[in-house]
Amino acid sequence: MGLLPWAGQALKLRGMESLRRQIEKQVHSLTGASLGVLDLDQPRFDAGLFGPESMVWKVHADFTSMMVGGISALLLQMLHPLALAGVWDHSTFRQDMIGRLRRTSLFVAGTTYGGRHDAEQLIDKVRRIHLQVVGQAPDGRPYAASDPDLLTWVHVSEVSQFLAGYLRYVDPQLPVAEQDRYYREVALIAERLGAQNVPKSSQAIDDYLQRMRPQLLCDERTREVVRLLYAAPVPNILAKPFGSLMMQAGVDLLPDWASELLGEHQAAWRRPVIRASVRRTAKLLRWAVVNSAAQRAARRVAP
């Protein structure tokens, strides 16, 4: 009889471990880890472009806040007619939303946490792809993904929302000086891709976004992107509530002027409900995921 409590506890622990692995597997299926092209365990002691003491490693470490920030960033980016035209004409996101998510995740994880050689290879690959992304927007203006000004817009939209997600769901008390350090560090990626005059502080980011507002608009194609994001497929039916929550949280994370421009109105009572749900989800995922890009990189550089 004395063995029964111990046996029951062992069964419970095995069940919890099985659940943890299943959740982690679902998380990895949404990221660049599922593509199997990046070895974050090698080379040993290679700190990559930033290293473990950087703010980039810190801000990009939490899967949930990065997922919310990434969705919000895409919505913000698509308000720029030339950025939208490039994606619309040259991307397969309408047919392969999950693939687009994985490839973006691979680039962010690789340039943040990969070894220096892998990070630089990813940057070079994207630069080559950008040279092929040229065309004409519906309003007649030419566009090129390699345009330094357009690269700056895409970068600012992305990193401002990554940091916004971190501030909301990980560390709301992060000092402004550390926020500025994040922007200074992460500007390296944009500049390597060809961006110019990249803002490198919270105030500079805010000023830049205000200057850009007259150039932004929401048209039928922008609304189609929003519709596609709401309807984006998920790996299985169990992940569908998670995808819906992330989309709602991404809209909630947008600056008020951007959600107004998109016509995405969320009732005031819903916002605290969304945020509380995301925080509960984040807590679960932090327990479940023990082999994230950040964790693997930390083990790689550890003495």
Side-chain angles (χ1 to χ4, degrees):
M1 293 292 291
L3 291 176
L4 288 179
W6 177 88
Q9 184 67 15
L11 287 171
K12 182 179 179 181
L13 289 173
R14 282 201 294 270
M16 292 294 287
E17 178 61 14
S18 176
L19 173 63
R20 186 200 66 74
R21 289 179 179 175
Q22 284 298 314
I23 294 173
E24 184 174 49
K25 181 179 178 181
Q26 293 302 316
V27 168
H28 287 328
S29 75
L30 295 171
T31 72
S34 64
L35 300 176
V37 299
L38 188 65
D39 185 359
L40 293 169
D41 303 312
Q42 298 295 331
R44 288 283 287 153
F45 311 119
D46 184 338
L49 297 179
F50 300 104
E53 302 305 315
S54 68
M55 283 302 301
V56 176
W57 273 42
K58 186 174 184 177
V59 171
H60 293 181
D62 184 67
F63 173 78
T64 307
S65 67
M66 287 292 283
M67 175 68 79
V68 174
I71 291 171
S72 191
L74 180 58
L75 291 168
L76 188 56
Q77 287 168 355
M78 294 302 97
L79 288 171
H80 194 301
L82 300 185
L84 174 58
V87 172
W88 192 274
D89 294 343
H90 296 270
S91 171
T92 61
F93 82 98
R94 281 171 286 170
Q95 299 80 31
D96 186 21
M97 187 72 74
I98 295 296
R100 168 66 188 263
L101 172 64
R102 288 168 177 157
R103 291 187 294 274
T104 301
S105 168
L106 175 68
F107 181 80
V108 174
T111 54
T112 302
Y113 298 112
R116 180 172 290 272
H117 177 72
D118 286 340
E120 291 177 344
Q121 276 201 323
L122 284 167
I123 292 169
D124 289 343
K125 180 179 179 180
V126 170
R127 282 182 67 105
R128 290 194 300 270
I129 292 171
H130 282 170
L131 293 175
Q132 303 170 37
V133 179
V134 295
Q136 189 175 67
D139 61 11
R141 286 184 293 167
Y143 67 79
S146 58
D147 174 10
D149 292 336
L150 202 54
L151 286 165
T152 298
W153 165 254
V154 171
H155 168 78
V156 170
S157 302
E158 184 173 83
V159 299
S160 65
Q161 297 312 103
F162 285 164
L163 183 58
Y166 182 86
L167 292 172
R168 177 161 295 169
Y169 293 113
V170 181
D171 184 6
Q173 305 304 318
L174 184 71
V176 173
E178 294 294 84
Q179 297 177 41
D180 291 347
R181 183 159 73 93
Y182 169 71
Y183 284 131
R184 287 196 305 272
E185 291 173 358
V186 80
L188 171 69
I189 303 298
E191 291 169 343
R192 291 282 185 91
L193 288 171
Q196 295 177 1
N197 302 315
V198 179
K200 298 178 182 178
S201 71
S202 298
Q203 186 61 58
I205 292 282
D206 290 344
D207 292 345
Y208 172 84
L209 289 171
Q210 287 300 316
R211 290 197 305 273
M212 292 297 295
R213 285 179 61 179
Q215 300 182 39
L216 309 180
L217 62 86
C218 179
D219 60 14
E220 188 55 41
R221 297 206 297 187
T222 319
R223 286 187 284 272
E224 176 66 5
V225 171
V226 176
R227 187 194 69 77
L228 288 169
L229 283 170
Y230 273 115
V234 291
N236 60 59
I237 194 170
L238 295 177
K240 193 167 184 60
F242 172 77
S244 176
L245 175 62
M246 293 298 100
M247 180 62 188
Q248 294 176 65
V251 171
D252 174 48
L253 192 65
L254 284 167
D256 289 342
W257 57 263
S259 54
E260 287 291 326
L261 187 55
L262 283 167
E264 289 294 310
H265 304 287
Q266 292 176 324
W269 65 266
R270 286 188 62 199
R271 295 196 166 198
V273 174
I274 291 168
R275 296 173 192 182
S277 297
V278 172
R279 291 187 180 99
R280 287 194 297 270
T281 300
K283 185 176 181 180
L284 174 65
L285 296 185
R286 289 168 194 150
W287 164 75
V289 178
V290 298
N291 285 295
S292 68
Q295 290 161 323
R296 290 173 64 187
R299 292 195 290 265
R300 185 185 76 237
V301 302

